[in-house]
Amino acid sequence: GEDVEQSLFLSVREGDSSVINCTYTDSSSTYLYWYKQEPGAGLQLLTYIFSNMDMKQDQRLTVLLNKKDKHLSLRIADTQTGDSAIYFCASASGSARQLTFGSGTQLTVLP
Amino acid sequence: ETGVTQTPRHLVMGMTNKKSLKCEQHLGHNAMYWYKQSAKKPLELMFVYSLEERVENNSVPSRFSPECPNSSHLFLHLHTLQPEDSALYLCASSQDQGADYGYTFGSGTRLTVV
């Protein structure tokens, strides 16, 4: 089955850019997603990218997809303390296109 | 509110108790999901319902019993749980079983088994 991997932790200074990376194994993945989870809350969909795209930008968020290397990244520009959360990468694959999630990256924004 | 509401938010139960988790969505979606989120582990898909029929059960122990009476409501009935079942249980919904536009998640029920 599909496997999605992320590094567990990332710390950045307020105002810097954050880059969260993700790799996946299923080359037939159609959509790839980034979710954000704040403490005590469920997962909130931040953005998604279709597999025929290389890049998608949405305000402070930029998603880059390298389909050849099966690598996805999320860049957050001008990172703020409110961006501190766990960020999950997810891939939709298989005939049912169900989501497979990574373990999540805990982003800590330092003042 | 996200459009997917889960109750209760927190639940403490003994190993001999029976309790139920409830999920309700008002998004007009026709697929609903239960996920288990344990510390330092990936999200685990437990059950998938599409058009009120269970289409997937990922080897979940029988002490967890889902119920989907209609497309807006999903329950997870719990009985004789173990301490290792303590986790955040997340409900999600989507339009059609495919995830093309992502899933909408509830805030979860934090379950503690004592």
Side-chain angles (χ1 to χ4, degrees):
Chain A
E2 168 76 300
D3 193 23
V4 179
E5 302 263 346
Q6 299 177 241
S7 53
L8 291 180
F9 302 100
L10 176 66
S11 292
V12 299
R13 293 276 177 201
E14 192 174 10
D16 288 350
S17 292
S18 309
V19 179
I20 303 171
N21 295 301
C22 170
T23 57
Y24 59 98
T25 56
D26 190 344
S27 57
S28 68
S29 294
T30 52
Y31 284 86
L32 295 127
Y33 305 83
W34 285 104
Y35 281 85
K36 176 183 181 182
Q37 185 179 31
E38 297 184 26
L43 276 67
Q44 173 196 356
L45 179 64
L46 282 179
T47 186
Y48 65 91
I49 188 168
F50 188 50
S51 58
N52 68 353
M53 297 169 65
D54 298 324
M55 185 181 89
K56 181 178 180 181
Q57 186 152 5
D58 183 2
Q59 299 182 345
R60 291 192 297 123
L61 304 179
T62 303
V63 179
L64 295 177
L65 175 60
N66 181 328
K67 199 173 177 185
K68 173 176 166 289
D69 294 338
K70 302 192 195 71
H71 182 268
L72 182 74
S73 67
L74 174 69
R75 178 177 180 270
I76 306 173
D78 187 26
T79 313
Q80 302 298 307
T81 53
D83 295 322
S84 293
I86 302 175
Y87 290 81
F88 290 90
C89 168
S91 156
S93 61
S95 58
R97 301 196 304 288
Q98 289 177 9
L99 290 189
T100 301
F101 288 86
S103 299
T105 299
Q106 172 74 61
L107 174 65
T108 302
V109 182
L110 306 170
Chain B
E1 288 295 338
T2 63
V4 178
T5 305
Q6 289 187 244
T7 53
R9 291 295 305 274
H10 301 274
L11 178 62
V12 179
M13 61 185 287
M15 289 190 283
T16 58
N17 291 159
K18 288 184 181 181
K19 296 285 184 183
S20 296
L21 310 185
K22 180 182 176 182
C23 176
E24 189 172 354
Q25 59 95 4
H26 302 287
L27 301 168
H29 290 167
N30 57 17
M32 296 185 79
Y33 311 81
W34 280 116
Y35 279 86
K36 176 183 179 183
Q37 187 178 28
S38 305
K40 297 179 181 152
K41 291 177 72 174
L43 279 164
E44 300 173 53
L45 178 64
M46 300 175 72
F47 301 104
V48 179
Y49 274 83
S50 178
L51 299 171
E52 300 154 40
E53 285 192 26
R54 189 192 312 179
V55 297
E56 189 156 334
N57 174 348
N58 274 353
S59 304
V60 178
S62 59
R63 57 186 184 269
F64 294 91
S65 173
E67 179 191 1
C68 187
N70 54 60
S71 60
S72 300
H73 294 85
L74 184 66
F75 295 89
L76 188 62
H77 303 300
L78 316 171
H79 64 97
T80 59
L81 294 192
Q82 304 298 310
E84 61 265 26
D85 297 322
S86 299
L88 181 68
Y89 288 84
L90 292 164
C91 173
S93 70
S94 67
Q95 184 53 40
D96 302 324
Q97 196 183 332
D100 291 354
Y101 299 102
Y103 296 173
T104 302
F105 282 84
S107 298
T109 295
R110 173 69 62 188
L111 174 67
T112 304
V113 181
V114 297

